[in-house]
Amino acid sequence: MDNFKETKNIFEKDKNQEKPEMELEKFIFKKLNELDFSKGLSNEARNIISEMKIHSEQTYNHMLRVAHVSYSASKKLGTDGKLEFIGGLLHDFGKLMINKNFLLSDKNIHEGHYRVVQEHALKGWLKLKNDYALTALIVGGHHIHGEKGYGVNETDWPDFVKNNHNLRQRVEDAILNVAMVDFVDAARTRKTSERSGGEMLLRNKMLAKFPAQEKKIDSILEDKEIISFYKQCGFL
């Protein structure tokens, strides 16, 4: 199991002047220690992101950014941010099992390749669900929103989550948080039409995909620290 422990740590930024990518790596590894996950989950996360850096550096950097922003946004919405951090960090784990030539880059891919890429949510969930059930639900469920959603839905959830109202709500909130940050990060950092193309404002696209979530959407798009983070990364 995920074995989350209580933590009083708050979101904080590194203040050194290293390259943004190095600052981000330092922040992620620091939080993996500070947030006090179980040893098994922490080690699994380190192994996964290390392998991803070799497999697809673009996906690796995306996973780190989603962890960073998901944690920051969730803290400001009143949670401890732990589930969002680890779920954001590992949300694209399944792409390790996808041909790296199929992964999204700064060019569009055809529909056949995209269907293969869509399998990453289920692949990641299957690998994690027996040992890290809560994290696995975010990995498997971060693409379920919207008309073309795919991945693991609530029918696949373990009974101990479905039958516990508070835990079910916590997991649902974490999945939604990571899903929205994933969408924002893709729109701000990729040049493919799949996410960022067209003339519709990002906020409007998010409202269409995540209806009735205006408060959370604005908390991500308008937060000064999150905007500053993307500027430091060179995307705004």
Side-chain angles (χ1 to χ4, degrees), residues 151-166:
V152 176
N153 58 45
E154 195 168 341
T155 61
D156 302 301
W157 292 15
D159 288 340
F160 83 91
V161 178
K162 288 191 289 187
N163 296 334
N164 184 319
H165 173 76
N166 291 335

Side-chain angles (χ1 to χ4, degrees), residues 52-113:
M52 186 61 77
K53 189 173 186 178
I54 298 172
H55 184 66
S56 170
E57 190 167 6
Q58 184 185 39
T59 303
Y60 166 80
N61 288 325
H62 168 67
M63 291 165 69
L64 267 57
R65 289 193 303 268
V66 171
H68 186 295
V69 177
S70 295
Y71 178 70
S72 177
S74 62
K75 290 285 292 182
K76 293 175 181 181
L77 289 172
T79 78
D80 63 14
K82 292 185 67 175
L83 191 51
E84 287 83 358
F85 175 86
I86 197 68
L89 183 61
L90 301 184
H91 78 283
D92 274 350
F93 164 44
K95 289 184 178 180
L96 276 175
M97 293 159 266
I98 302 294
N99 186 324
K100 63 182 180 181
N101 293 323
F102 288 4
L103 300 182
L104 292 174
S105 61
D106 286 334
K107 60 182 179 180
N108 292 305
I109 61 175
H110 64 65
E111 186 64 26
H113 286 181

Side-chain angles (χ1 to χ4, degrees), residues 203-215:
R203 185 176 186 274
N204 292 339
K205 294 181 76 172
M206 292 190 71
L207 285 171
K209 189 175 182 66
F210 306 102
Q213 299 298 332
E214 187 172 358
K215 179 180 178 181

